[in-house]
Amino acid sequence: MKLKTLESANLSGKTVLYRAPYDIDTKEVNGVFEVVDDMRIWVTLPTLQYLLEKNCKIIILTYVGRPDGKVVEELRTTPHAECLSKLLNHPVAKVDDCIGPKVSEKISQMAPGDILMLENVRFYSGEMIDDDAFAQKLCEGKDLIVFDGFPQAHRIHASTTGIERHLPAVAGLYLEQEIKMLSSLLENPKHPFTVIIGGAKISDKVDAIRNLLHVADTILVGGAVANVFLKAEGRELGSSFIEDVFVDKMKREKKDWVEDARDILKQAESLKKKIMVPGDLVMSDGISTKKIVTEGVPAGWMALDIGPKTQVDFSNIINQSKTVFINGPMGKFEDERFSLGSRAVLNAMKNLTQNLKGETIIAGGDTIDVARKYGNLNDYSHTSLAGGATLEFLAGKELPALKALIE
Ligand code: ADP
Ligand code: MG
């Protein structure tokens, strides 16, 4: 996938609508809101610095959370503007709207090198339905779009696909880097290529698993996703969290994920690929007891982590890999007693990276959380900061907001 790059655009002195990936939660500290995490701001600094060098006027657009078309105080972009200003060491002005006269006035007062943060675009109901008149208003007074909103690129919203209908757009450096890294996983990974899938819900990941099956050599499955595969193999799972049947409320369709898992296992066999499910599990009865089982999980008990033997088996596969991608923790890691599985696979990935034996990629909000809780993101070759967009990209789907950015 070849993207239109910053270098290809004539940016000198232009008024840029910068679509930022700043969908970041806030928390109140001593009566003031702050972003809970600045990772998604850090990654945008190179693009913004580039635009500043080109004497651009930079107007930043993003959505935050789910305010559903209403003004929600804790979802304003003010903390995002403040955090950016600190990290970039440059003033960032804030306006409490994203369209209309207040915004036009602010833009008319901007000088080259000025930065203006617009208000949360989801305060308008036109955002989520990609309202065309609203999208046009978002573009008023700007010359072109620099798009770095990769975590939102799978959305058909006014601030993604909408604005791209009204202004020319190029990719920012952060988006370019995500696409480069994820494309290389699909197109030319070094083998053996191991994919590790965990987390809670198979419905989020099933399409990515199916697509990755064609390029990966081994898929290691843990977390509650493994429960569905274990059920497909006929194991008892007691009271474990298991997304076996799922009703799509919008489509009113019933989906049986165990059928999907069975189908994936069959397909793996015909493609001569290996799917490994946990051979042992750590379980709890919900009170304090923690036991290891190799057989099924008895009634009243829940599987909450991969067991010690599986930790060794998975680590051995990782040790022999040249590329390892992980999305989803191996257990309910928020409770330290069930974090050992995730820590073991992440540690094996870290060793692979540090010994320069292979490339490692981690993706997903909770996966990043557990990696940071017990280590450092620098322990891995790459981190993908998106959830849904990353999985849809790896599933081989076309992300709607990328269409306008392709050469
Ligand atoms: P990511 O955000 O990295 O994509 P997910 O959101 O898919 O990951 O999954 C993370 C969640 O999965 C965590 O909250 C974790 O507690 C949960 N989880 C993992 N294993 C289990 C399990 N065996 N039973 C219940 N929940 C689990
Ligand atoms: Mg998550």
Side-chain angles (χ1 to χ4, degrees):
M1 180 182 285
K2 217 168 157 347
L3 295 167
K4 294 178 197 161
T5 58
L6 284 182
E7 289 81 16
S8 73
N10 173 16
L11 288 162
S12 201
K14 293 282 163 67
T15 303
V16 171
L17 180 59
Y18 179 63
R19 178 53 166 91
Y22 300 160
D23 180 14
I24 313 165
D25 292 339
T26 60
K27 60 171 191 279
E28 205 176 339
V29 181
N30 303 325
V32 208
F33 286 107
E34 286 177 5
V35 292
V36 296
D37 197 300
D38 59 14
M39 213 166 25
R40 284 188 178 179
I41 299 184
W42 273 109
V43 295
T44 62
L45 301 184
T47 307
L48 292 168
Q49 268 146 357
Y50 186 97
L51 297 177
L52 287 175
E53 278 163 28
K54 296 283 176 191
N55 286 315
C56 294
K57 297 175 189 173
I58 306 166
I59 297 150
I60 305 180
L61 177 67
T62 188
Y63 69 65
V64 181
R66 292 187 170 271
D68 289 334
K70 290 187 300 285
V71 174
V72 176
E73 282 308 315
E74 60 261 38
L75 296 177
R76 289 195 181 277
T77 56
T78 318
H80 305 71
E82 277 160 12
C83 177
L84 171 63
S85 175
K86 249 184 246 153
L87 297 184
L88 192 60
N89 196 18
H90 189 98
V92 176
K94 162 77 204 301
V95 55
D96 291 333
D97 211 334
C98 58
I99 55 167
K102 245 202 273 180
V103 175
S104 308
E105 196 194 323
K106 282 266 187 195
I107 294 176
S108 70
Q109 294 162 354
M110 284 174 83
D114 281 354
I115 304 180
L116 176 67
M117 176 78 76
L118 299 176
E119 189 51 275
N120 188 350
V121 66
R122 278 193 173 172
F123 286 178
Y124 283 89
S125 57
E127 162 66 357
M128 305 250 297
I129 56 167
D130 190 4
D131 181 272
D132 199 53
F134 179 61
Q136 186 169 18
K137 283 186 196 151
L138 288 171
C139 293
E140 266 169 27
K142 294 102 184 167
D143 299 317
L144 82 163
I145 299 162
V146 172
F147 198 98
D148 255 346
F150 176 68
Q152 295 83 37
H154 59 314
R155 306 272 189 216
I156 299 175
H157 284 358
S159 73
T160 56
T161 43
I163 51 175
E164 291 173 341
R165 286 193 298 272
H166 297 280
L167 282 177
V170 297
L173 298 170
Y174 158 66
L175 181 126
E176 206 188 327
Q177 191 215 325
E178 283 266 11
I179 298 294
K180 208 162 124 191
M181 167 181 83
L182 297 174
S183 300
S184 80
L185 283 185
L186 293 180
E187 286 159 18
N188 51 4
K190 284 211 179 112
H191 293 276
F193 175 20
T194 300
V195 169
I196 310 165
I197 298 285
K201 287 178 11 197
I202 188 170
S203 54
D204 294 339
K205 332 235 169 183
V206 67
D207 294 333
I209 299 176
R210 281 186 188 281
N211 198 40
L212 286 166
L213 201 51
H214 293 276
V215 281
D217 302 290
T218 307
I219 297 189
L220 309 176
V221 189
V225 175
N227 293 344
V228 185
F229 282 87
L230 291 167
K231 189 164 174 186
E233 290 186 342
R235 284 224 238 171
E236 289 299 324
L237 285 144
S239 311
S240 305
F241 176 77
I242 168 162
E243 194 187 20
D244 49 358
V245 181
F246 171 83
V247 184
D248 187 323
K249 283 201 185 107
M250 302 271 275
K251 293 188 197 151
R252 293 174 185 277
E253 266 173 19
K254 219 167 159 190
K255 282 217 76 161
D256 189 343
W257 297 112
V258 177
E259 274 308 308
D260 273 82
R262 231 177 249 132
D263 188 57
I264 289 170
L265 289 167
K266 233 190 264 158
Q267 208 194 354
E269 220 179 288
S270 68
L271 290 168
K272 301 205 173 5
K273 304 293 174 86
K274 209 160 46 179
I275 294 189
M276 281 177 72
V277 294
D280 60 347
L281 296 160
V282 178
M283 63 174 191
S284 162
D285 62 359
I287 310 163
S288 60
T289 340
K290 196 182 126 175
K291 280 203 177 134
I292 292 152
V293 281
T294 46
E295 292 312 310
V297 178
W301 290 72
M302 283 172 275
L304 292 173
D305 198 6
I306 58 173
K309 180 183 173 298
T310 305
Q311 287 175 29
V312 173
D313 293 345
F314 282 12
S315 299
N316 285 338
I317 299 282
I318 295 166
N319 293 342
Q320 292 155 24
S321 305
K322 289 247 160 58
T323 312
V324 183
F325 170 83
I326 182 167
N327 170 253
M330 297 292 97
K332 204 170 166 41
F333 73 94
E334 293 90 341
D335 182 334
E336 209 156 302
R337 295 172 301 163
F338 309 112
S339 67
L340 295 176
S342 306
R343 288 156 73 177
V345 297
L346 286 168
N347 202 40
M349 288 175 70
K350 174 181 159 179
N351 288 334
L352 200 72
T353 328
Q354 289 187 337
N355 300 329
L356 306 175
K357 287 194 173 151
E359 200 164 343
T360 53
I361 299 98
I362 72 170
D366 292 289
T367 312
I368 291 173
D369 280 354
V370 64
R372 288 203 292 186
K373 189 165 168 195
Y374 297 104
N376 195 308
L377 291 182
N378 292 331
D379 294 339
Y380 313 95
S381 319
H382 304 285
T383 303
S384 178
L385 294 186
T390 300
L391 287 168
E392 289 200 15
F393 190 90
L394 291 176
K397 295 181 194 165
E398 189 175 61
L399 306 189
L402 294 188
K403 249 191 192 164
L405 303 174
I406 295 169
E407 272 280 24

